[in-house]
């Protein structure tokens, strides 16, 4: 099996996205060979180092077309699977999107990993698999899992497939249930939405829901550090971790910070209701004891992560990104 050492080529699906592109840079800096597969539906080529960068190859391909990217798996030691529809509201209107990109796409990419005898496979899952939990902070053992959106259902289906491939085909699996991950190069999420709304109309900021939705926000750097640590240290067939911060931030506070960063004059208007949209999980705080026990600590709290990301976004927009 290719994955017996922490060396060898790494396939990163969704590697042109916000989180994937950060991982790619980290792996290249560590001297790993990285092969990115991305259809550029949400990510951008510019998020990655340029063509010709030593150790990096890039294939523009959809997950569901394995013939176009099977060569990326030749001799690969690891798969990091980040590619997915990340527009949850769009998926709620058209469930086929999450079923095809999330559930079917995950099956197709796992098949390539199996066919090529890849040793380890890492999955970007989400806290949304918990549905509306009644226990906070929510531990990994919480159940029953009742997804509230097609996106959440696809994430849970993906977890189940990784588990099945671990026990049936020996593909050691690492499943990470993310809180909200924020950092450079984002093209979705609450901060991105607020910036876009204020760009369109600087006089008002519409906030979906009553502003009391409260969630944990983790910086990309902290997220990737935790994932790499768990992959390095753990060797059960299936290794499952929540990833988030110990605190959470209400949406109202995020709106106020974004408005302040834009000069402080925009009027904040709430659409009302406890959910921002159908499928929104309004309260989220994950128990992170399991990843803390490995020695990981987030460098930034939820509030600090938001401040830092607002500063990144202002810099990106000034640079014309
Ligand atoms: P992103 O949208 O920036 O990245 C997703 C990447 O996948 C994009 O580059 C996109 O072009 C690519 N992609 C989408 N569908 C594809 C397909 N069918 N074939 C090939 N490529 C495809 O999102 P992100 O924030 O970097 O998220 C990365 C992963 O983490 C996703 O799986 C997402 O569901 C998961 N996740 C993210 C968060 C978060 O808060 N950012 C939270 C929970 C889970």
């Amino acid at each position: 099996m290719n994955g017996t050492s922490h060396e060898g080529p790494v396939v990163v699906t969704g590697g042109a996205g916000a989180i994937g592109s950060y991982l790619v840079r980290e792996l290249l800096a560590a001297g790993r060979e990285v092969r990115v597969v991305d259809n550029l539906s949400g990510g951008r080529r510019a998020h990655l180092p340029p063509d010709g960068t030593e150790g990096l190859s890039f294939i523009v391909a959809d997950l569901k077309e394995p013939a176009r990217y099977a060569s990326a798996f030749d001799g690969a030691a690891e798969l990091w699977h980040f590619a997915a529809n990340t527009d949850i509201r769009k998926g709620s209107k058209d469930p086929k999107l999450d079923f095809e990109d999330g559930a079917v796409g995950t099956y197709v990419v796992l098949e390539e990993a199996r066919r090529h005898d890849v040793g380890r496979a890492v999955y970007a899952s989400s806290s949304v698999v918990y549905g509306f939990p009644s226990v906070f902070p929510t531990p990994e053992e919480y159940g029953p899992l009742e997804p509230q959106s097609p996106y959440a259902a696809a994430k849970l289906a993906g977890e189940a497939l990784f588990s099945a491939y671990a026990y049936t085909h020996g593909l050691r699996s690492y499943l990470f249930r993310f809180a909200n991950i924020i950092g450079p190069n984002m093209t979705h999420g609450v901060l991105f939405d607020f910036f876009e709304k204020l760009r369109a109309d600087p006089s008002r900021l519409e906030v979906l829901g009553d502003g009391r939705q409260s969630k944990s926000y983790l910086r990309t750097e902290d997220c990737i550090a935790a994932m790499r640590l768990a992959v390095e240290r753990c060797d059960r067939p299936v290794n499952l971790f929540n990833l988030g911060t110990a605190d959470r931030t209400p949406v109202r506070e995020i709106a106020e910070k974004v408005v302040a960063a834009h000069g402080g004059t925009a009027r904040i208007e709430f659409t009302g209701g406890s959910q921002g949209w159908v499928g929104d999980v309004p309260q989220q705080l994950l128990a992170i004891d399991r990843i803390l026990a490995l020695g990981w600590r987030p460098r930034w709290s939820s509030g600090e992560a938001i401040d830092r990301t607002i500063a990144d976004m202002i810099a990106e927009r000034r640079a014309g990104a």
Side-chain angles (χ1 to χ4, degrees), residues 13-21 37-44 47 60-64 69 81-88 100-102 105 123-128 151 155 176-182 185-189 217-218 220 284:
T13 73
I19 307 174
S21 60
V37 177
D38 196 303
N39 69 357
L40 296 179
S41 59
R44 296 188 191 142
H47 292 164
V60 181
D62 192 278
L63 284 181
K64 302 179 294 296
Y69 63 81
H81 181 41
F82 287 97
N85 166 50
T86 49
D87 187 337
I88 301 180
E100 289 187 345
D101 281 10
Y123 184 49
S125 186
S126 170
S127 61
V128 294
Y151 171 83
K155 284 293 173 201
F176 296 95
R177 293 178 178 162
F178 295 167
N180 294 277
I181 309 301
I182 57 174
N185 297 329
M186 288 187 309
T187 55
H188 64 95
Y217 294 82
L218 180 71
T220 311
Q284 175 242 77

Side-chain angles (χ1 to χ4, degrees), residues 239-256:
N239 304 275
L240 170 67
F241 293 90
N242 283 338
L243 294 186
T245 57
D247 59 334
R248 54 180 158 175
T249 309
V251 171
R252 175 187 293 269
E253 193 177 313
I254 300 174
E256 288 166 357

Side-chain angles (χ1 to χ4, degrees), residues 13 62-66 69 73 79 81 83-85 95-113 123 150-151 153-162 165:
T13 73
D62 192 278
L63 284 181
K64 302 179 294 296
E65 299 173 321
Y69 63 81
F73 282 86
L79 161 68
H81 181 41
N85 166 50
K96 195 166 72 140
L97 199 58
D98 287 305
F99 176 70
E100 289 187 345
D101 281 10
V104 176
T106 297
Y107 153 72
V108 172
V109 85
L110 283 172
E111 268 299 279
E112 285 311 309
Y123 184 49
Y151 171 83
K155 284 293 173 201
L156 187 52
E159 287 191 10
L161 285 165
F162 269 75
Y165 275 76

Side-chain angles (χ1 to χ4, degrees), residues 126-209:
S126 170
S127 61
V128 294
V129 299
Y130 292 115
F132 291 172
S134 55
V135 176
F136 296 100
T138 312
E140 287 89 349
E141 298 83 5
Y142 180 85
L145 300 176
E146 295 181 356
Q148 305 276 324
S149 61
Y151 171 83
K155 284 293 173 201
L156 187 52
E159 287 191 10
L161 285 165
F162 269 75
S163 178
Y165 275 76
Y167 287 106
T168 311
H169 302 296
L171 182 63
R172 184 160 292 148
S173 291
Y174 299 84
L175 314 178
F176 296 95
R177 293 178 178 162
F178 295 167
N180 294 277
I181 309 301
I182 57 174
N185 297 329
M186 288 187 309
T187 55
H188 64 95
V190 64
L191 283 168
F192 181 82
D193 284 351
F194 285 175
F195 269 70
E196 290 304 301
K197 282 177 176 171
L198 284 175
R199 195 206 301 252
D201 180 357
S203 71
R204 62 185 280 268
L205 176 61
E206 182 193 69
V207 177
L208 303 178

